[in-house]
């Protein structure tokens, strides 16, 4: 039997992804850097985009779905006057317009684009259509007709206007929201066309750009990083927004074996719940036991770490 390569390392590395690099390439580089057995990322960034890319090692990979579902923040530059096949600067020009909206025109359309909306994804996206990726169909000259999808956009703000041709925005949104679609739709709502010229993710769940490091800095001392991965954040960091419940050793063992616990038999009081899904993070001392759900007066384990 062949030996599995890599060390058992658990935690989060928050990478400031560089321009022109794919998210999977970042994960592969981080995995080599830490000689880690298992790694993955939470929330793909296109090569055009920079910013916060959380990389999970070991047990942290089990918390990736909660980061994927978390609120994210972006900053992007919209270039007016040209629509492009990819809705960003890498695509071919589809149409042009001489109209350049004033700041007041732009701000006037933003309220109608926030909240629970229906968004048409970019044709060059990873969505599957009939078993094929949309971007593969588009590259083959058969761009699919993608239907609108539900999206939650909490806020869009115009923060800067460098010149008539460009406008800079910040966006706070839920999962599965395409910034390229937002940029395209802002331009169309203003009576012109446009595309994203620059895009940066500044926040992904509990992870901020202030937490992020560049892999170039880390690779200056690979051996030191492998010996002492000081940049890793604890697995529980991803669950910071989930109410926590302290459990005893016996309760932790029971949950670990998949047992459902009656609430009236749990030693610690329940935390205040501000979410309707009833999800609780069970903690035993410094250790995250797992995620549980409150169901009819009982605590049911969902995912054990």
């Amino acid at each position: 039997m062949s030996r599995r390569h890599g060390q058992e390392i658990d935690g989060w590395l928050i990478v400031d992804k560089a321009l022109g690099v794919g998210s999977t390439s970042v994960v592969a580089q981080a995995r080599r850097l830490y000689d880690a057995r298992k790694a993955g990322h939470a929330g793909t960034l296109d090569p055009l985009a920079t910013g916060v890319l959380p990389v999970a090692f070991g047990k942290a990979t089990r918390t990736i779905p909660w980061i994927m579902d978390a609120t994210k923040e972006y900053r992007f530059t919209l270039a007016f006057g040209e629509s492009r096949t990819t809705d960003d600067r890498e695509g071919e020009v589809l149409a042009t317009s001489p109209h350049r909206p004033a700041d007041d025109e732009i701000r006037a359309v933003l309220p109608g684009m926030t909240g629970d909306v229906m968004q048409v994804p970019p044709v060059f996206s990873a969505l599957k259509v009939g078993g094929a990726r949309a971007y593969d169909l588009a590259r083959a000259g058969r761009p699919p007709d993608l239907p609108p999808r539900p999206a939650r956009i909490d806020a869009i703000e115009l923060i800067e206007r460098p010149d008539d041709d460009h406008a800079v925005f910040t966006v706070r949104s839920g999962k599965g929201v395409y910034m390229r679609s937002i940029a395209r739709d802002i331009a169309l709502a203003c009576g012109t066309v446009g595309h994203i010229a620059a895009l940066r993710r500044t926040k992904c769940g509990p992870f901020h750009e202030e937490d992020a490091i560049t892999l170039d800095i880390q690779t200056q001392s690979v051996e030191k990083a492998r010996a002492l991965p000081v940049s890793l954040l604890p697995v529980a960091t991803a669950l910071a927004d989930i109410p926590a419940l302290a459990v005893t050793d016996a309760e932790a063992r029971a949950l670990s074996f998949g047992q459902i616990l009656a609430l009236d038999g749990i030693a610690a009081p329940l935390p205040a719940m501000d979410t309707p899904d009833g999800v609780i993070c069970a903690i035993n001392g410094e250790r995250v036991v797992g995620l549980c759900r409150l169901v009819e007066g009982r605590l049911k384990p969902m995912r054990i770490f």
Side-chain angles (χ1 to χ4, degrees), residues 45-89:
L45 283 177
D46 294 335
L48 174 69
T50 65
V52 178
L53 181 68
V55 177
F57 293 105
K59 292 179 181 178
T61 59
R62 302 179 189 177
T63 65
I64 283 177
W66 278 267
I67 298 300
M68 297 286 285
D69 289 344
T71 298
K72 300 170 182 65
E73 295 180 5
Y74 298 85
R75 182 173 64 250
F76 69 79
T77 300
L78 166 56
F80 292 111
E82 292 181 346
S83 65
R84 301 204 176 191
T85 52
T86 57
D87 292 315
D88 61 33
R89 70 176 188 227

Side-chain angles (χ1 to χ4, degrees), residues 75-84 87-89 100-101 106 109-110 113 156-171 179-190 192-199:
R75 182 173 64 250
F76 69 79
T77 300
L78 166 56
F80 292 111
E82 292 181 346
S83 65
R84 301 204 176 191
D87 292 315
D88 61 33
R89 70 176 188 227
R100 301 296 184 267
I106 296 172
V109 305
L110 299 184
M113 303 181 66
I156 309 174
E157 184 180 357
L158 173 65
I159 62 168
E160 187 180 351
R161 195 71 190 272
D163 52 51
D164 288 345
D165 292 332
H166 298 88
V168 182
F169 299 84
T170 57
V171 175
M179 296 301 112
R180 287 176 290 157
S181 293
I182 292 178
R184 175 200 65 206
D185 294 345
I186 290 174
L188 290 173
C190 291
T192 184
V193 292
H195 64 273
I196 276 191
L199 172 62

Side-chain angles (χ1 to χ4, degrees), residues 10-14 42 52 54-57 59-68 70-71 203-208 210-212 230-244 281-283 286-289 291 305:
D10 303 316
W12 287 93
L13 179 70
I14 313 307
V52 178
V55 177
F57 293 105
K59 292 179 181 178
T61 59
R62 302 179 189 177
T63 65
I64 283 177
W66 278 267
I67 298 300
M68 297 286 285
T71 298
K203 183 177 181 292
C204 186
F207 305 124
H208 299 254
E210 292 82 7
D211 304 320
V230 294
S231 297
L232 295 190
L233 298 175
V235 173
T237 310
L239 309 174
D241 295 335
I242 299 176
C281 182
I283 305 287
E286 299 281 329
R287 181 173 69 94
V288 177
V289 178
L291 292 171
F305 304 141

Side-chain angles (χ1 to χ4, degrees), residues 222-234:
V222 173
E223 294 305 321
K224 181 178 179 182
R226 287 180 178 174
L228 184 64
V230 294
S231 297
L232 295 190
L233 298 175

